């Protein structure tokens, strides 16, 4: 009989790419931080196109229905004549009616 008979191996659950991005973006959002696809790629080691697709999925109701905000970060200069626009993103939980009602009650009180 084997030594480990009857013992179960601890299973390691690996989070999906979408879960990792959700957690990173929500943590950054708590501090009001906006992140570019490049910054997310460096942090998570995922490709920028994959990150963009996963952020779009997070807006869907069946993936959490998060609010994904997008804005232009200041233009970065590559060369003397070459310019391009960099977009940055922020992810926040969708506000429900109950959350909005609670927020308005807090504002009235204080």
């Amino acid at each position: 009989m084997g030594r480990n008979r009857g013992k179960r191996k601890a299973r390691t659950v690996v989070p999906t790419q979408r879960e990792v991005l959700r957690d990173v973006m929500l943590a950054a959002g708590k501090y009001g931080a906006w992140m570019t696809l490049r910054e997310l790629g460096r942090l998570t080691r995922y490709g920028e196109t994959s990150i963009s697709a996963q952020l779009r999925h997070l807006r869907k109701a069946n993936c959490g229905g998060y609010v994904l905000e997008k804005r232009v970060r200041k233009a970065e200069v590559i060369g003397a004549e070459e310019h391009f626009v960099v977009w940055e993103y922020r992810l926040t939980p969708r506000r429900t009616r109950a959350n909005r009602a609670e927020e308005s009650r807090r504002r009235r009180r204080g």
Side-chain angles (χ1 to χ4, degrees), residues 73-102:
R73 188 175 276 187
K74 68 174 184 164
E76 294 186 18
V77 178
I78 301 292
E81 306 95 26
E82 196 175 1
H83 300 276
F84 69 95
V85 175
V86 175
W87 293 94
E88 57 186 5
Y89 302 86
R90 181 169 66 180
L91 189 71
T92 54
R94 186 167 299 281
R95 291 175 24 182
T96 63
R97 286 184 185 178
N99 288 347
R100 284 185 293 225
E102 179 61 31

Side-chain angles (χ1 to χ4, degrees), residues 1 10-11 13 20-21 23 27 32 34 40 44 52 54 64 74 76 94:
M1 306 243 172
R11 222 177 238 196
V13 178
V20 170
L21 288 167
D23 294 344
W34 292 71
L40 286 166
T44 62
S52 178
Q54 295 301 340
K74 68 174 184 164
E76 294 186 18
R94 186 167 299 281

